[in-house]
Amino acid sequence: MQLEAIERRSNLSREEFIESYLKPKKPVIFTDLVKDWPATEKWTFDWLKKNHGNLEVPLIDKHYHDPDKYFQIAKKMKFGDYLDLIQAGPVDLRIFLFDIFKKIPELAEDIRYPTIMDGFIKSYKFMFFGGQDSVTSLHYDMDCSNVFLTQFQTKKKVILFGPDQSKKLYKHPYTVMSHFDPENPDFDRFPAAKNLVGQEGVFGHGETVFIPSLWWHHIRYVDGGYSLALRANDSVFTTLKGGMFLARHSIVDRGMTKVLGRKWKEWKENKASENALEFI
């Protein structure tokens, strides 16, 4: 498995971004894309706890994708208590795909939509929170958008693979998921993954990683912290593909999971292994 460093860029112009990264679907870490956001100075742990600590937030754990606990919420907690928890050390509780702006609309005044490209989906912005070493497992985003993930206060590590690597990642049919762990690779179970080619990088406070449409990403919290994901579409065909994937997930995968449970998961794993044979 080969992992190259994701390029890091400052003062990247719109024109160069579009030609060098957006069109060829190439990841990049912006060091200064959000330098003018009030949020970069304002959204500290202490400020969030003081001003919004009583908000009740939904939490998930490592069983989030288990077929017999499909999309269950692990528990709920006061936002301030949760922030104390992730500052204290490792914890297997995350806030995932949380639209905090619906709960606290005034927070939207602290961000600015980048002009680096067109097509930002202003109604589709989410925050992610997690403790040290918690992981968002390898997947690509179902809506097929380009993602701009900005980190606050602490650091995250991201490992990315292009869509051409899907079979070597043992992609589960009818899903956007893989069970391969690029930080702890099991090449006995996933032998084709030895031939993977990807990119990796660590990004910190005020930095933004650009994850192109359909790119696989594995994310680990180096420290307990939080980030904001903004999404943008550069093609109507991408939007249509995202709608198709959402329908496939809702109708086929979710339906079969409810009907067959673990047997459906086992079928997907076997099919993923068959699809990877040509790369062994």
Side-chain angles (χ1 to χ4, degrees):
M1 183 172 66
Q2 300 178 26
L3 295 176
E4 299 179 350
I6 303 171
E7 287 188 24
R8 299 174 60 86
R9 295 293 305 272
S10 302
N11 300 314
L12 188 60
S13 70
R14 172 186 169 99
E15 292 73 20
E16 187 178 358
F17 169 72
I18 290 172
E19 291 301 320
S20 300
Y21 300 99
L22 180 61
K23 287 183 178 179
K25 300 299 182 185
K26 182 180 178 181
V28 64
I29 293 175
F30 295 89
T31 63
D32 56 0
L33 185 68
V34 303
K35 62 182 180 181
D36 296 326
W37 284 14
T40 59
E41 298 294 331
K42 189 175 181 181
W43 290 4
T44 65
F45 280 96
D46 288 343
W47 185 86
L48 289 171
K49 285 186 282 189
K50 179 180 178 181
N51 291 276
H52 307 292
N54 287 327
L55 176 68
E56 190 173 65
V57 294
L59 307 176
I60 63 168
D61 60 19
K62 63 184 179 182
H63 297 294
Y64 183 60
H65 294 292
D66 285 3
D68 53 345
K69 299 173 182 172
Y70 193 84
F71 275 57
Q72 280 192 357
I73 299 298
K75 62 187 299 184
K76 292 186 177 181
M77 184 181 290
K78 293 292 185 182
F79 190 33
D81 293 339
Y82 175 73
L83 292 175
D84 284 335
L85 197 62
I86 65 173
Q87 281 187 282
V91 60
D92 181 31
L93 289 172
R94 289 182 290 134
I95 302 177
F96 183 73
L97 284 176
F98 181 53
D99 191 349
I100 196 171
F101 302 95
K102 287 185 177 179
K103 302 290 186 179
I104 315 171
E106 60 268 29
L107 288 182
E109 299 173 6
D110 298 333
I111 68 171
R112 307 283 185 266
Y113 284 91
T115 57
I116 201 75
M117 69 172 287
D118 297 326
F120 278 92
I121 308 169
K122 295 185 178 181
S123 61
Y124 198 24
K125 52 191 181 294
F126 293 106
M127 290 199 71
F128 301 84
F129 297 75
Q132 179 186 345
D133 287 329
S134 59
V135 168
T136 301
S137 300
L138 198 60
H139 70 286
Y140 63 89
D141 284 9
M142 195 178 302
D143 68 331
C144 302
S145 296
N146 300 287
V147 177
F148 294 77
L149 184 64
T150 298
Q151 181 68 7
F152 295 95
Q153 305 305 318
T154 56
K155 293 181 180 180
K156 273 184 174 178
K157 179 179 180 179
V158 61
I159 299 177
L160 306 175
F161 298 98
D164 61 327
Q165 304 290 294
S166 291
K167 289 185 178 180
K168 286 182 277 188
L169 288 168
Y170 294 76
K171 174 187 179 296
H172 280 202
Y174 302 104
T175 79
V176 295
M177 303 298 299
S178 166
H179 285 180
F180 177 69
D181 182 351
E183 291 195 286
N184 300 284
D186 183 347
F187 294 126
D188 291 329
R189 182 182 176 189
F190 304 107
K194 292 179 181 178
N195 300 311
L196 282 166
V197 176
Q199 299 186 35
E200 65 178 342
V202 173
F203 61 113
H205 176 67
E207 296 184 330
T208 305
V209 60
F210 167 64
I211 305 175
S213 172
L214 299 176
W215 272 64
W216 293 86
H217 40 286
H218 168 100
I219 299 173
R220 177 170 59 82
Y221 291 77
V222 177
D223 318 288
Y226 42 99
S227 54
L228 169 65
L230 300 180
R231 288 168 160 77
N233 283 328
D234 57 317
S235 167
V236 66
F237 297 106
T238 302
T239 305
L240 291 172
K241 184 179 288 187
M244 181 187 71
F245 285 176
L246 286 167
R248 180 187 66 183
H249 166 72
S250 298
I251 297 171
V252 179
D253 187 50
R254 197 164 188 171
M256 293 299 286
T257 296
K258 288 181 178 179
V259 173
L260 296 178
R262 190 159 296 278
K263 288 184 179 180
W264 176 242
K265 178 185 177 183
E266 291 171 355
W267 179 87
K268 289 186 292 185
E269 289 177 344
N270 291 334
K271 193 65 178 177
S273 296
E274 289 177 19
N275 292 338
L277 286 174
E278 64 182 286
F279 298 101
I280 298 176

